[in-house]
Amino acid sequence: MSTLFSPVNVLAMVLFAAALAWRIYQVQRAPTVPNWAVTACIAGFAAAFLLQQEAVSDEIDAVLGLGAARVVNNALLACAVCALVIFFLGSALGPRRYRRVVVELVPLAAAITLMIVTMALTAPELRGLPLGPSTIHDSGIASFYLGAGLYLIYGLIACTAWIVRYLRVADRNLRIGLRMGAAGMACAAAGSIFRALYIVVAWAFGPVVKVLLLLGVPFVIVGGMLFLLGVTYPGVRARVSALRRRRQHRREHDALGPLWTVLVRAFPSIVLRTPPRRRGERLSPRSIHRVHYRRVIEIRDGLVQLSPYLAADFGEVVATDPGAAAAALKAALARHAAGEGSDGHAKQVLPAPADDIESDVRPLLALSAAMESGA
């Protein structure tokens, strides 16, 4: 079986796909420079990961020539890191960011140019070979990997520093993702430093210290995984929270049914008129929230219309004794249905005004439950 579909590769591809899908969604909602930059970063890392697979790199080399896959792979990694640096610059520097972005493109262009030139100067039989004891003493290969590695070290350390700065002002959920991202960047930077030391020691001084290269690989792999988890975590957390909120609104909508039913029966005009929904819209997340809020508004309107039949302290009773409030509400509905007169004064039908509609839901849920249990 091809190593492309090994468990580790499949897990990495799933993480890349999830992270990229989330970022594309964010770009569609807000196509800003920081959003585009971080999306390009993840896309670059994902493409570089695929190019590292032998089945894919062989096809690239067959089309573009030996060594092309190595150049493209390392260029994509450099572009991804540069995009991440631009993301932080775009978030922090304000109007000055565009000039700084241009400045950041200079070392990127220099690194990619160095990769192309050194690969072209490498002996044809050595092009595309991995870094190792048998190739490290070739000047072309050593220069190629050292140039690519030094740019990655610069970019990864810069990104780690930016993330650490953001930790001070980020909210709790975002801090968790940022910590994982910073740890991933630091691990990847450490792995790149080990590889650079391996090259410098072997190329400049002769001895091949294999342990440096062996240490670099797991650091880069773990760093990449941590970075992906850090990027994905806020989105996953947000989706889970949104799912919980939808389930809560669906339950509350059903729980408000008994109270809503008796009020609509007494005051049919409180039902809000809305345009017909398109196919599939009924089950959409926004539709769930919309019908929930509409039911709350309709119930409040019904209580306001019934308030002339209620006592002045009805709002306080709802908060302190929902059972007594339900009994008073039923009596008021009966008087209204019988056509009895009222004092004609609107009254406070809920506890003291809340800051948002969500706070009004709690007493209404208690009142609806009391209405149902006393039916």
Side-chain angles (χ1 to χ4, degrees), residues 15 57 73 146 162 165 231 352-353 373:
L15 288 174
S57 62
N73 174 265
L146 184 60
W162 278 109
R165 288 180 61 180
V231 171
S373 62

Side-chain angles (χ1 to χ4, degrees), residues 50-62 65 68-70:
L50 286 176
L51 276 173
Q52 288 177 345
Q53 311 307 312
E54 187 176 352
V56 179
S57 62
D58 287 347
E59 291 295 325
I60 298 295
D61 284 343
R70 293 282 178 183

Side-chain angles (χ1 to χ4, degrees), residues 246-276:
R246 288 199 295 270
R247 292 177 61 185
Q248 176 186 347
H249 279 182
R250 190 180 292 111
R251 289 195 301 267
E252 290 178 353
H253 179 270
D254 295 338
L256 290 170
L259 179 57
W260 179 83
T261 300
V262 296
L263 290 173
V264 168
R265 191 179 298 131
F267 306 101
S269 62
I270 66 173
V271 177
L272 299 174
R273 305 301 176 188
T274 56

Side-chain angles (χ1 to χ4, degrees), residues 65-209:
L66 287 176
R70 293 282 178 183
V71 174
V72 175
N73 174 265
N74 283 273
L76 284 170
L77 287 174
C79 288
V81 171
C82 183
L84 194 57
V85 173
I86 291 173
F87 161 73
F88 288 115
L89 294 176
S91 301
L93 296 182
R96 296 180 297 137
R97 65 188 178 203
Y98 296 107
R99 181 180 299 177
R100 181 62 187 276
V101 164
V102 173
V103 172
E104 286 298 327
L105 294 178
V106 173
L108 172 66
I112 293 176
T113 301
L114 177 62
M115 295 179 209
I116 296 173
V117 171
T118 53
M119 184 60 72
L121 294 176
T122 302
E125 65 273 11
L126 296 178
R127 293 175 187 172
L129 292 180
L131 186 66
S134 62
T135 58
I136 187 57
H137 292 103
D138 180 83
S139 297
I141 288 182
S143 301
F144 173 82
Y145 283 106
L146 184 60
L150 288 177
Y151 182 82
L152 290 181
I153 292 170
Y154 156 73
L156 292 170
I157 291 176
C159 291
T160 304
W162 278 109
I163 293 175
V164 171
R165 288 180 61 180
Y166 272 118
L167 282 172
R168 303 170 188 171
V169 296
D171 59 54
R172 179 179 177 275
N173 291 334
L174 184 57
R175 279 202 302 269
I176 296 174
L178 287 175
R179 286 195 184 101
M180 288 191 288
M185 293 286 101
C187 280
S192 298
I193 290 172
F194 284 132
R195 190 174 75 164
L197 288 174
Y198 172 81
I199 296 171
V200 170
V201 171
W203 188 29
F205 302 104
V208 176
V209 186

